[in-house]
Amino acid sequence: MSQLTGTIIAAHGRHYLADADGVKLQCVTRGKKTNVAVGDVVKLTLTSANQGVIDVITERKTLLYRSDQYKSKLLAANLTQLFIVVATEPGFADDLISRSLVAADAAGIEAHIILNKTDVTASLARTRERLQPYAALGYPIHEVSARALPEHAVATLGPLLAGQSSILIGQSGMGKSSLINLLVPDADIAVREISAALDTGKHTTTFTRLYTLGGEASIIDSPGFQEFGLYHLSEGMLERAFREFKPYLGGCKFYNCRHLIEPQCAVLDAVAAGQITRMRHTLYGQLLHESAQTLY
């Protein structure tokens, strides 16, 4: 049995599709393991011309996942950057943006925000205002309109993707699919091929998939989701994942300060002084509470 190296380009349940030097292979894991993510580089053994078994997941540079109190869900491996897609309409959830940014910072992945549908001018000023706190934290915001100004969208985002392994995430209705179709020529053909290979029928929006963009670049499209649980982040990971806390860590009176109600807390002083927004500190408290609820 020959062993090959491949990259996981799609996942649906316990079924995976790997690309090994241009050959698409349907893969399963040994036993009941489901710890494989799109973007993983794996070593696999061929069991037929187009099927294989995953033996080893090679060491990951990064891993992005979300979790509730019962289980975690891998989103993608070996990413270098994450793009959160929001739009002027329909409304987006600040909670999802904030959690995605925390997840990216915790995983060591660069985060960007894409504001789509800028042609809907009636909502543009208000949407920009809502995104201002994230811009103030240093997260780049890229304004595009996939439908009205497709060439501008490609010119804006294309250079950012070069040489990077990126993921697009966002709630349904933000225009993520339109952006993927612009950035990945023949994306719909690739989706049909993947869907047929994984035998998922018409449910093409329910799986995560990776597209290669030439060179070392790739882009991963994930299903739209409304919630981003971060139950897996420990207290220490959380305080470091809020980038605006960093100047104040170590400045508290108590070495084990949780930055919630403790006296002489440098983080709470910064919140009171307006150097850390209350919205972000409230989220920190919420995530701290969630991490204490973990059952797995």
Side-chain angles (χ1 to χ4, degrees), residues 71-190:
K71 63 182 188 301
S72 61
K73 182 171 177 56
L74 305 182
L75 286 172
N78 300 314
L79 293 168
T80 58
Q81 53 187 6
L82 169 145
F83 289 89
I84 304 157
V85 183
V86 297
T88 48
E89 60 175 29
F92 57 84
D94 278 303
D95 187 61
L96 186 72
I97 297 178
S98 293
R99 286 166 174 267
S100 304
L101 295 174
V102 169
D105 277 349
I109 298 163
E110 198 177 315
H112 298 247
I113 296 170
I114 298 174
L115 170 56
N116 192 21
K117 306 186 190 179
T118 52
D119 53 305
V120 184
T121 51
S123 317
L124 188 55
R126 172 78 188 106
T127 309
R128 282 175 174 156
E129 199 180 305
R130 284 183 63 192
L131 295 176
Q132 187 47 42
Y134 308 113
L137 290 171
Y139 297 106
I141 296 171
H142 312 283
E143 296 193 0
V144 298
S145 177
R147 292 261 164 89
L149 297 166
E151 295 86 0
H152 171 262
V154 172
T156 302
L157 301 176
L160 299 172
L161 301 172
Q164 304 282 340
S165 174
S166 310
I167 186 170
L168 253 60
I169 65 168
Q171 292 160 262
S172 303
M174 298 293 147
K176 199 159 53 67
S177 299
S178 302
L179 285 169
I180 286 287
N181 288 328
L182 280 181
L183 296 165
V184 186
D186 303 328
D188 52 340
I189 297 168

Side-chain angles (χ1 to χ4, degrees), residues 13-37:
R14 287 185 181 156
H15 298 273
Y16 304 95
L17 196 65
D19 184 321
D21 289 328
V23 179
K24 307 280 194 301
L25 301 168
Q26 296 173 38
C27 299
V28 292
T29 53
R30 295 197 184 277
K32 290 186 176 177
K33 286 183 180 175
T34 56
N35 61 335
V36 183

